[in-house]
Amino acid sequence: MRLRLIANPNASGVTRPLVDAVARRLSEVAEVELRLTDGARHAIALAGEPGADVVVAMGGDGTVNEVVNGLPPGAAMAVVPAGATSVFARQLGLSRRTLPAAALVAQAIRSGSQRMVGLGLANDRLFTFSAGMGLEAEATRVVDEERYTRFDGRRPGDLKVVAAAMRTLRNDGFALPERMTIELEGRSIRCGYLAVANQHPYTYFGRLPVRTAPRAGFETALDAVVVGELRSRDLWR
Protein backbone atom coordinates (compact mmCIF):
# COMPACT_ATOMS: atom_id res chain seq x y z
CA MET A 1 0.00 0.00 0.00
CA ARG A 2 1.20 3.50 -0.83
CA LEU A 3 0.13 6.65 1.02
CA ARG A 4 0.40 10.19 -0.29
CA LEU A 5 0.54 12.75 2.51
CA ILE A 6 -0.49 16.18 1.21
CA ALA A 7 0.32 18.89 3.73
CA ASN A 8 -0.48 22.58 3.55
CA PRO A 9 2.47 24.49 5.08
CA ASN A 10 0.32 27.63 5.37
CA ALA A 11 -2.37 25.99 7.52
CA SER A 12 -2.66 27.49 10.99
CA GLY A 13 -1.24 24.55 12.91
CA VAL A 14 1.28 23.18 10.40
CA THR A 15 5.04 23.27 10.98
CA ARG A 16 7.70 21.25 9.19
CA PRO A 17 8.63 19.26 12.33
CA LEU A 18 4.95 18.38 12.77
CA VAL A 19 4.67 17.30 9.13
CA ASP A 20 7.73 15.08 9.55
CA ALA A 21 6.30 13.57 12.74
CA VAL A 22 3.01 12.73 10.98
CA ALA A 23 4.91 11.21 8.05
CA ARG A 24 6.91 9.02 10.43
CA ARG A 25 3.75 7.86 12.18
CA LEU A 26 2.08 6.95 8.88
CA SER A 27 5.24 5.23 7.60
CA GLU A 28 4.72 2.63 10.31
CA VAL A 29 1.86 1.17 8.27
CA ALA A 30 2.74 1.97 4.64
CA GLU A 31 5.17 3.67 2.30
CA VAL A 32 4.64 7.44 2.49
CA GLU A 33 5.07 9.98 -0.29
CA LEU A 34 5.14 13.49 1.18
CA ARG A 35 3.94 16.42 -0.95
CA LEU A 36 3.67 20.05 0.18
CA THR A 37 1.23 22.48 -1.40
CA ASP A 38 2.48 25.80 -2.72
CA GLY A 39 -0.75 27.69 -3.37
CA ALA A 40 -4.48 27.58 -3.93
CA ARG A 41 -5.81 24.51 -5.80
CA HIS A 42 -2.41 22.80 -5.72
CA ALA A 43 -3.76 20.05 -3.45
CA ILE A 44 -6.37 19.22 -6.13
CA ALA A 45 -3.60 18.48 -8.62
CA LEU A 46 -1.47 16.58 -6.09
CA ALA A 47 -4.40 14.39 -5.03
CA GLY A 48 -5.18 13.53 -8.66
CA GLU A 49 -1.73 12.19 -9.47
CA PRO A 50 -1.78 8.38 -9.95
CA GLY A 51 0.00 5.90 -7.73
CA ALA A 52 -1.53 6.36 -4.28
CA ASP A 53 -3.94 3.95 -2.61
CA VAL A 54 -4.72 6.40 0.19
CA VAL A 55 -4.40 10.18 0.04
CA VAL A 56 -4.01 11.85 3.44
CA ALA A 57 -4.93 15.54 3.75
CA MET A 58 -3.05 17.42 6.46
CA GLY A 59 -4.26 20.96 7.06
CA GLY A 60 -7.55 22.74 7.57
CA ASP A 61 -10.92 22.37 5.90
CA GLY A 62 -9.69 24.14 2.76
CA THR A 63 -6.95 21.56 2.25
CA VAL A 64 -9.41 18.74 2.85
CA ASN A 65 -11.83 20.23 0.33
CA GLU A 66 -9.16 20.43 -2.36
CA VAL A 67 -8.03 16.84 -1.79
CA VAL A 68 -11.64 15.64 -2.01
CA ASN A 69 -12.06 17.43 -5.33
CA GLY A 70 -8.88 15.91 -6.76
CA LEU A 71 -9.22 12.39 -5.41
CA PRO A 72 -9.11 9.86 -8.30
CA PRO A 73 -11.61 6.99 -8.55
CA GLY A 74 -10.68 4.00 -6.44
CA ALA A 75 -8.47 5.89 -3.99
CA ALA A 76 -9.39 6.27 -0.32
CA MET A 77 -8.89 9.44 1.68
CA ALA A 78 -7.88 10.17 5.26
CA VAL A 79 -7.71 13.43 7.22
CA VAL A 80 -5.13 14.66 9.72
CA PRO A 81 -6.42 17.97 11.15
CA ALA A 82 -3.98 20.85 11.52
CA GLY A 83 -6.12 23.88 10.77
CA ALA A 84 -7.71 26.61 12.82
CA THR A 85 -11.03 24.78 13.17
CA SER A 86 -10.97 21.54 11.13
CA VAL A 87 -14.74 21.06 11.18
CA PHE A 88 -14.78 18.00 8.92
CA ALA A 89 -12.21 16.17 11.03
CA ARG A 90 -14.25 16.86 14.17
CA GLN A 91 -17.35 15.52 12.49
CA LEU A 92 -15.42 12.34 11.70
CA GLY A 93 -14.69 12.01 15.41
CA LEU A 94 -10.97 12.77 15.16
CA SER A 95 -9.03 14.58 17.83
CA ARG A 96 -8.22 18.23 17.11
CA ARG A 97 -4.64 17.42 18.17
CA THR A 98 -2.67 16.49 15.08
CA LEU A 99 -0.47 13.63 16.29
CA PRO A 100 -3.23 11.70 18.13
CA ALA A 101 -5.38 12.07 15.00
CA ALA A 102 -2.51 10.76 12.88
CA ALA A 103 -2.25 7.74 15.18
CA LEU A 104 -5.96 7.01 14.67
CA VAL A 105 -5.55 7.35 10.91
CA ALA A 106 -2.60 4.93 10.97
CA GLN A 107 -4.62 2.45 13.00
CA ALA A 108 -7.55 2.68 10.57
CA ILE A 109 -5.25 2.13 7.59
CA ARG A 110 -3.61 -0.84 9.26
CA SER A 111 -6.97 -2.46 10.01
CA GLY A 112 -8.55 -1.53 6.67
CA SER A 113 -11.32 0.42 8.39
CA GLN A 114 -13.28 2.73 6.07
CA ARG A 115 -16.55 4.63 6.04
CA MET A 116 -18.65 6.17 3.33
CA VAL A 117 -19.31 9.91 3.45
CA GLY A 118 -22.01 11.59 1.39
CA LEU A 119 -20.85 14.88 -0.11
CA GLY A 120 -22.59 17.87 -1.65
CA LEU A 121 -22.00 19.60 -4.97
CA ALA A 122 -22.16 23.34 -5.63
CA ASN A 123 -21.06 24.99 -8.88
CA ASP A 124 -19.37 21.72 -9.98
CA ARG A 125 -17.30 21.55 -6.78
CA LEU A 126 -17.75 19.04 -3.97
CA PHE A 127 -18.10 20.26 -0.40
CA THR A 128 -17.31 18.08 2.59
CA PHE A 129 -19.75 19.22 5.27
CA SER A 130 -21.80 22.32 4.43
CA ALA A 131 -22.36 25.13 1.96
CA GLY A 132 -24.36 28.27 2.50
CA MET A 133 -25.68 31.43 0.93
CA GLY A 134 -26.30 34.63 2.82
CA LEU A 135 -24.74 35.42 6.21
CA GLU A 136 -22.28 32.52 6.31
CA ALA A 137 -21.04 33.11 2.78
CA GLU A 138 -20.58 36.84 3.35
CA ALA A 139 -18.67 36.30 6.59
CA THR A 140 -16.45 33.72 4.88
CA ARG A 141 -15.73 36.18 2.07
CA VAL A 142 -14.66 38.83 4.58
CA VAL A 143 -12.40 36.37 6.41
CA ASP A 144 -10.79 35.17 3.15
CA GLU A 145 -9.98 38.76 2.24
CA GLU A 146 -8.50 39.50 5.64
CA ARG A 147 -6.30 36.41 5.70
CA TYR A 148 -4.22 37.86 2.85
CA THR A 149 -4.36 41.53 3.84
CA ARG A 150 -3.86 41.20 7.59
CA PHE A 151 -2.72 37.63 8.46
CA ASP A 152 -0.02 36.77 5.86
CA GLY A 153 -2.17 34.15 4.17
CA ARG A 154 -3.04 32.20 7.32
CA ARG A 155 -6.65 31.79 8.30
CA PRO A 156 -7.66 34.04 11.23
CA GLY A 157 -8.82 32.43 14.45
CA ASP A 158 -12.40 31.42 15.17
CA LEU A 159 -13.28 34.62 17.00
CA LYS A 160 -12.30 36.58 13.89
CA VAL A 161 -14.88 34.58 11.94
CA VAL A 162 -17.53 35.38 14.54
CA ALA A 163 -16.54 39.05 14.40
CA ALA A 164 -16.89 39.04 10.60
CA ALA A 165 -20.39 37.58 10.90
CA MET A 166 -21.33 40.22 13.48
CA ARG A 167 -20.09 43.01 11.21
CA THR A 168 -22.18 41.57 8.39
CA LEU A 169 -25.24 41.49 10.64
CA ARG A 170 -24.59 45.02 11.82
CA ASN A 171 -24.51 46.27 8.23
CA ASP A 172 -27.98 44.77 7.77
CA GLY A 173 -29.35 46.31 10.96
CA PHE A 174 -28.99 42.98 12.82
CA ALA A 175 -31.60 41.37 10.58
CA LEU A 176 -31.69 38.85 7.72
CA PRO A 177 -33.53 40.41 4.77
CA GLU A 178 -35.05 38.20 2.09
CA ARG A 179 -32.58 38.47 -0.78
CA MET A 180 -32.85 35.11 -2.53
CA THR A 181 -35.43 32.91 -4.18
CA ILE A 182 -34.70 29.19 -4.17
CA GLU A 183 -36.47 26.20 -5.67
CA LEU A 184 -36.87 23.49 -3.07
CA GLU A 185 -39.04 20.39 -3.53
CA GLY A 186 -41.12 22.10 -6.20
CA ARG A 187 -41.67 25.31 -4.21
CA SER A 188 -40.28 28.79 -4.70
CA ILE A 189 -39.14 30.18 -1.37
CA ARG A 190 -37.92 33.66 -0.56
CA CYS A 191 -35.23 33.57 2.10
CA GLY A 192 -32.42 35.45 3.75
CA TYR A 193 -30.20 32.47 4.46
CA LEU A 194 -29.68 28.97 3.04
CA ALA A 195 -27.47 26.17 4.33
CA VAL A 196 -27.04 22.63 3.01
CA ALA A 197 -25.20 20.13 5.21
CA ASN A 198 -24.40 16.44 5.59
CA GLN A 199 -23.93 16.74 9.37
CA HIS A 200 -24.73 19.25 12.07
CA PRO A 201 -22.37 22.15 11.36
CA TYR A 202 -20.27 23.41 14.25
CA THR A 203 -20.15 26.82 15.81
CA TYR A 204 -16.84 28.55 16.44
CA PHE A 205 -17.09 27.98 20.19
CA GLY A 206 -15.27 24.73 20.91
CA ARG A 207 -17.16 21.53 20.20
CA LEU A 208 -20.70 22.92 20.42
CA PRO A 209 -22.74 21.75 17.39
CA VAL A 210 -25.49 23.81 15.83
CA ARG A 211 -28.53 21.51 15.62
CA THR A 212 -29.99 23.08 12.51
CA ALA A 213 -29.80 20.14 10.09
CA PRO A 214 -31.58 17.31 11.95
CA ARG A 215 -32.02 15.04 8.93
CA ALA A 216 -28.46 15.32 7.68
CA GLY A 217 -26.03 12.44 8.00
CA PHE A 218 -22.89 11.12 6.34
CA GLU A 219 -24.59 7.82 5.50
CA THR A 220 -28.10 9.15 4.84
CA ALA A 221 -28.68 12.43 3.03
CA LEU A 222 -28.06 16.13 2.79
CA ASP A 223 -30.43 18.42 4.64
CA ALA A 224 -31.37 21.95 3.55
CA VAL A 225 -32.08 24.70 6.06
CA VAL A 226 -33.94 27.79 4.84
CA VAL A 227 -34.41 30.92 6.94
CA GLY A 228 -36.90 33.54 5.84
CA GLU A 229 -36.71 37.20 6.70
CA LEU A 230 -35.71 37.77 10.31
CA ARG A 231 -35.96 41.09 12.08
CA SER A 232 -33.59 42.02 14.87
CA ARG A 233 -36.06 41.10 17.60
CA ASP A 234 -36.39 37.58 16.13
CA LEU A 235 -32.77 36.93 15.19
CA TRP A 236 -31.42 36.13 18.65
CA ARG A 237 -33.94 33.31 19.09
Side-chain angles (χ1 to χ4, degrees):
M1 179 184 292
R2 186 170 182 177
L3 306 183
R4 179 176 300 136
L5 173 60
I6 299 176
N8 177 7
N10 288 320
S12 299
V14 174
T15 63
R16 186 54 197 253
L18 185 60
V19 171
D20 293 340
V22 169
R24 287 194 299 270
R25 180 61 58 88
L26 296 178
S27 67
E28 298 173 1
V29 296
E31 178 185 356
V32 175
E33 171 194 354
L34 174 61
R35 304 294 295 275
L36 300 179
T37 63
D38 60 11
R41 303 184 68 84
H42 191 201
I44 297 177
L46 294 178
E49 293 179 0
D53 301 298
V54 180
V55 180
V56 182
M58 179 179 175
D61 288 310
T63 305
V64 172
N65 179 271
E66 289 198 4
V67 171
V68 162
N69 278 276
L71 197 68
M77 178 181 168
V79 178
V80 175
T85 304
S86 297
V87 174
F88 186 61
R90 279 197 276 172
Q91 292 178 332
L92 289 173
L94 293 172
S95 170
R96 292 188 66 181
R97 295 182 297 164
T98 301
L99 288 179
L104 288 176
V105 168
Q107 180 181 348
I109 292 172
R110 181 185 288 112
S111 64
S113 175
Q114 297 186 36
R115 69 181 298 186
M116 299 294 291
V117 174
L119 304 177
L121 185 69
N123 292 340
D124 298 321
R125 182 158 177 162
L126 294 167
F127 59 87
T128 54
F129 55 91
S130 68
M133 297 177 66
L135 175 63
E136 177 185 20
E138 178 63 15
T140 300
R141 182 190 65 79
V142 171
V143 169
D144 283 345
E145 289 179 353
E146 290 184 347
R147 71 184 296 174
Y148 294 104
T149 59
R150 298 176 55 192
F151 299 99
D152 297 324
R154 289 183 175 267
R155 180 186 177 280
D158 292 343
L159 291 180
K160 298 292 184 182
V161 179
V162 175
M166 293 302 294
R167 290 199 302 272
T168 301
L169 278 173
R170 183 183 61 195
N171 293 338
D172 285 327
F174 291 98
L176 287 178
E178 291 180 343
R179 289 177 170 163
M180 301 173 286
T181 301
I182 67 168
E183 298 291 332
L184 186 64
E185 296 181 343
R187 294 184 295 158
S188 295
I189 302 174
R190 291 283 294 168
C191 64
Y193 174 75
L194 166 69
V196 180
N198 60 2
Q199 279 282 343
H200 292 303
Y202 279 86
T203 71
Y204 294 101
F205 297 100
R207 298 184 61 84
L208 295 176
V210 183
R211 304 289 181 184
T212 56
R215 292 186 291 177
F218 282 153
E219 298 85 5
T220 52
L222 300 174
D223 194 9
V225 180
V226 179
V227 179
E229 180 179 12
L230 286 178
R231 295 176 294 274
S232 58
R233 65 173 180 269
D234 301 318
L235 184 63
W236 305 112
R237 291 188 295 166

